[in-house]
Amino acid sequence: QVQLVESGGGSVQAAGSLRLSCAASGWPNCMGWFRQAPGKEREGVAIIQRAAGSTYYSDSVKGRFAISQDNTKNMVYLQMNSLKPEDSAMYYCAATYRDCTSARLEIKSFGYWGQGTQVTVSS
């Protein structure tokens, strides 16, 4: 079983930065971040292949967000820069034993989820 705990959410003004952290138990092959705003569907943000370190991003965050990991601590991070109000959402850490190339940024591919951490970007 995989357990995930997110932290680092908060409120920030547009163009600001925030870093989210996800502490994992177990060793899934692919981990990442998803977000969901009120009234909207959950969407994939970024994922990372744990063994190879390969990363994948949604077009909406490419160039602004960066996913990384610290394997000694079994942690995954999401550095968010140049934040926009439309980035406001509940951010969830997710994991799967599938490879990222197979799982892609698809919600149904991920069977393990954290409780979420709120990110609010104001203008």
Side-chain angles (χ1 to χ4, degrees), residues 7-91:
S7 62
S11 298
V12 64
Q13 289 190 315
S17 299
L18 209 58
R19 190 176 82 151
L20 306 183
S21 300
C22 177
S25 64
W27 196 260
N29 292 327
C30 180
M31 291 182 61
W33 294 92
F34 294 74
R35 66 186 183 186
Q36 186 169 23
K40 296 184 178 181
E41 295 184 351
R42 191 170 300 184
E43 62 177 348
V45 175
I47 55 175
I48 184 168
Q49 186 72 30
R50 299 303 305 278
S54 305
T55 59
Y56 308 86
Y57 299 91
S58 68
D59 290 339
S60 63
V61 307
K62 194 174 301 180
R64 298 189 298 121
F65 292 9
I67 187 170
S68 61
Q69 64 182 342
D70 183 343
N71 290 337
T72 64
K73 299 180 179 179
N74 201 7
M75 297 281 290
V76 173
Y77 307 96
L78 183 67
Q79 179 65 46
M80 304 183 293
N81 299 323
S82 301
L83 283 163
K84 305 174 181 179
E86 50 262 46
D87 293 319
S88 296
M90 183 72 73
Y91 282 71

Side-chain angles (χ1 to χ4, degrees), residues 6 31 38 83 96 102 120:
E6 307 99 326
M31 291 182 61
L83 283 163
T96 179
S102 175
T120 302

